[in-house]
Amino acid sequence: MKEKVSVPFMLLGILFNVCLIAANLLETKVIQVGGLSVTAGLLVFPISYIINDCIAEVWGFKKARLIIWSGFAMNFFVVALGLIAVAIPAAPFWEGEEHFNFVFGMAPRIVCASMIAFLVGSFLNAYVMSRMKVASGGRNFSVRAIWSTVVGETADSLIFFPIAFGGVIAWRELMIMMGLQIVLKSMYEVIILPVTIRVVKVIKRIDGSDVYDTDISYNVLKIKDL
């Protein structure tokens, strides 16, 4: 009998994919937050880590691994479609080509940096969440959620910025940008933590699932191992 997918898991998976795609598109705009200049992707990208925490907490690392790879595939698909659309000549009467190309014509270097950083950061986030849950016997969800996010977001920033902007932006500025992104994204997790806790409790009650990852493989390539 084929394994069934619950409605909460499906909805979180959809939201996870939407957040990743939206974050990539929003990265093209720089906004001001309290006098600090950050990319608009900061508004939505941390939500993907919060969803990652929820999935790893309720359904375990294997389900989180499935969602992470689905997010990677859908993100890659949208980026590929965008690049194809940019390459196709625009209609002579259309005046929006420059702005369209600015949003969807991302440089291969930026795309590569984003994809690698996402995979490493997301898998580290799920791994830390999973291992800490087993070690703590399911206690201290708040601590586990914060630390897993700090680890994941740190890895994401340390990979993305050097690959994307190394040699283009001075290393001193890069270090400041990386530190700022890590702090702000981690603060995002802390601020929204009360909501995350309630969501996890509701999902556990509705779905009846609370997985502990004992005797599983953490090989990130075992996608079919559901």
Side-chain angles (χ1 to χ4, degrees):
M1 182 180 293
K2 293 183 179 180
E3 185 175 353
K4 294 182 179 180
V5 174
S6 68
V7 172
F9 178 75
M10 180 186 69
L11 292 177
L12 282 181
I14 293 171
L15 183 58
F16 183 80
N17 282 267
V18 170
C19 287
L20 292 178
I21 294 169
N24 255 9
L25 297 178
L26 294 175
E27 286 290 329
T28 56
K29 181 174 181 177
V30 178
I31 60 176
Q32 289 285 122
V33 179
L36 300 174
S37 297
V38 296
T39 61
L42 183 64
L43 297 173
V44 66
F45 186 70
I47 297 176
S48 67
Y49 276 81
I50 294 169
I51 296 172
N52 195 341
D53 286 341
C54 292
I55 292 175
E57 170 70 16
V58 178
W59 294 285
F61 181 84
K62 290 192 285 186
K63 284 293 194 296
R65 177 172 55 200
L66 174 64
I67 290 299
I68 291 169
W69 278 117
S70 74
F72 176 84
M74 294 303 100
N75 216 359
F76 182 84
F77 182 59
V78 171
V79 169
L81 289 177
L83 293 176
I84 291 172
V86 168
I88 298 174
F93 57 83
W94 189 55
E95 299 178 354
E97 183 173 18
E98 180 181 351
H99 302 294
F100 182 90
N101 291 352
F102 179 78
V103 175
F104 290 96
M106 292 179 288
R109 181 176 179 180
I110 302 295
V111 173
C112 180
S114 176
M115 295 294 190
I116 295 173
F118 159 70
L119 283 178
V120 175
S122 295
F123 277 121
L124 279 175
N125 181 83
Y127 175 79
V128 171
M129 192 71 181
S130 171
R131 295 303 296 265
M132 287 185 70
K133 180 176 182 179
V134 174
S136 66
R139 297 182 297 274
N140 304 319
F141 172 77
S142 299
V143 174
R144 292 185 281 115
I146 292 172
W147 276 111
S148 62
T149 296
V150 169
V151 171
E153 295 286 11
T154 298
D156 186 284
S157 295
L158 290 178
I159 292 171
F160 175 76
F161 285 99
I163 295 177
F165 302 114
V168 177
I169 299 176
W171 283 104
R172 183 176 179 278
E173 296 301 321
L174 270 183
M175 294 299 293
I176 293 174
M177 290 175 65
M178 284 189 287
L180 183 61
Q181 291 279 326
I182 293 169
V183 171
L184 289 179
K185 289 177 179 178
S186 298
M187 286 177 60
Y188 196 123
E189 168 78 42
V190 173
I191 292 171
I192 205 170
L193 188 58
V195 177
T196 307
I197 293 172
R198 286 183 179 155
V199 169
V200 167
K201 287 181 178 179
V202 170
I203 292 175
K204 284 183 177 180
R205 186 173 68 249
I206 294 174
D207 198 77
S209 181
D210 189 10
V211 173
Y212 286 78
D213 291 319
T214 55
D215 300 322
I216 71 161
S217 171
Y218 285 99
N219 182 349
V220 300
L221 300 179
K222 295 184 69 175
I223 305 174
K224 292 183 178 181
D225 182 16
L226 302 180

